[in-house]
Amino acid sequence: MLRCLGVMALFTGVTAYGQFGPPPLQPRTGKAAALYDIAGYWVSVVTEDWRYRMVTPLKGDYSGILLNPAGRKIADAWDPAKDETAGEQCKSYGAPSIMRVPGRLRIAWQDDNTLRIDADNGQQSRILRFDSAETGGGDWQGYSKASWELVPAGRGSPPIGSLKVVTTRLRPGYLRKNGVPYSANTTLTEYLDRVNEPDGNAYLVVTTTVEDPVYLYQPFVTSSHYRRQQDSAGWKPRRCSVN
């Protein structure tokens, strides 16, 4: 499945009719500007990287991730028992990795400019902000700024595009269960796209780019897939685990 890419301008319509012209239009809220509905329950469909997602990789196995020497040093020293003793069982459940963790998502609008994503595996909650609020950050899920990006279409064609999310201010964690690190300087960019199939199923495709100047030689890019559920069947919140 292909991800829809593009750029959308969420703008305030300002008229130039003089002081007696109509008042400026108010910016549309994130909910009002939504290109598609992603609210509801979704279950992960593991179609790639099975050995990195369904089981804990062996220590030192960071194939596919171009770690620099500093990153390899941390990955090679991974000690799950030490993480558990330190109360850091959630290091592999941060925003750069949580969408890769097999399980279920519950997505809902917290208000007209705030989208909330809850993950049952690890009991993590992500807050995606469409307004200019600068609150949050410094924890596993960081600060996430969301916007709808539009692909220019022909006259009369329905708008198409993607939900873009940029996350910063992260607490350092792991890209994989086996201690592959990302730093507090990481920038996470995601595109969340809904794809409707002819058979009536709907899928959420999450394309993720992790950029970390501290531990990575180049961006780490992945895609994850979820299938929409009709209800909350199978929703089972469970705590983070080190392996």
Side-chain angles (χ1 to χ4, degrees), residues 115-138:
L115 195 61
R116 177 178 176 130
I117 301 177
D118 295 313
D120 66 347
N121 195 351
Q123 297 179 310
Q124 299 298 303
S125 295
R126 301 186 63 189
I127 304 299
L128 314 185
R129 303 183 184 279
F130 288 82
D131 57 20
S132 58
E134 292 290 331
T135 58

Side-chain angles (χ1 to χ4, degrees), residues 13-69:
V14 179
T15 60
Y17 300 114
Q19 59 180 330
F20 300 109
L25 298 175
Q26 294 298 314
R28 299 178 70 192
T29 64
K31 187 175 182 179
L35 298 175
Y36 38 79
D37 180 22
I38 64 171
Y41 288 87
W42 303 80
V43 59
S44 58
V45 180
V46 181
T47 57
E48 60 178 33
D49 293 339
W50 178 277
R51 71 189 184 100
Y52 296 121
R53 298 174 62 189
M54 299 303 294
V55 297
T56 301
L58 296 175
K59 182 176 181 177
D61 183 359
Y62 31 80
S63 177
I65 304 178
L66 291 183
L67 292 172
N68 60 23

Side-chain angles (χ1 to χ4, degrees), residues 8-199:
M8 176 182 185
L10 293 177
F11 60 87
T12 302
V14 179
T15 60
Y17 300 114
Q19 59 180 330
F20 300 109
L25 298 175
Q26 294 298 314
R28 299 178 70 192
T29 64
K31 187 175 182 179
L35 298 175
Y36 38 79
D37 180 22
I38 64 171
Y41 288 87
W42 303 80
V43 59
S44 58
V45 180
V46 181
T47 57
E48 60 178 33
D49 293 339
W50 178 277
R51 71 189 184 100
Y52 296 121
R53 298 174 62 189
M54 299 303 294
V55 297
T56 301
L58 296 175
K59 182 176 181 177
D61 183 359
Y62 31 80
S63 177
I65 304 178
L66 291 183
L67 292 172
N68 60 23
R72 291 196 298 271
K73 181 178 181 180
I74 291 177
D76 290 340
W78 173 61
D79 184 345
K82 184 177 180 181
D83 286 340
E84 189 164 26
T85 300
E88 296 204 317
Q89 296 93 328
C90 293
K91 292 188 80 169
S92 62
Y93 294 81
S97 52
I98 188 61
M99 305 301 273
R100 302 283 285 167
V101 176
R104 286 170 169 79
L105 304 177
R106 179 176 60 196
I107 304 178
W109 287 96
Q110 188 166 286
D111 58 48
D112 285 350
N113 274 312
T114 309
L115 195 61
R116 177 178 176 130
I117 301 177
D118 295 313
D120 66 347
N121 195 351
Q123 297 179 310
Q124 299 298 303
S125 295
R126 301 186 63 189
I127 304 299
L128 314 185
R129 303 183 184 279
F130 288 82
D131 57 20
S132 58
E134 292 290 331
T135 58
D139 56 13
W140 298 123
Q141 305 310 322
Y143 170 76
S144 295
K145 181 67 175 176
S147 62
W148 296 101
E149 289 204 342
L150 188 68
V151 175
R155 181 176 298 179
S157 300
I160 57 175
S162 299
L163 171 57
K164 179 181 180 180
V165 182
V166 179
T167 302
T168 53
R169 307 180 196 170
L170 288 156
R171 180 177 175 178
Y174 296 152
L175 292 174
R176 287 179 181 160
K177 279 274 193 179
N178 62 340
V180 178
Y182 64 83
S183 76
N185 293 331
T186 293
T187 296
L188 168 67
T189 303
E190 298 166 285
Y191 288 90
L192 286 70
D193 293 287
R194 174 170 174 154
V195 179
N196 298 317
E197 296 291 347
D199 62 3

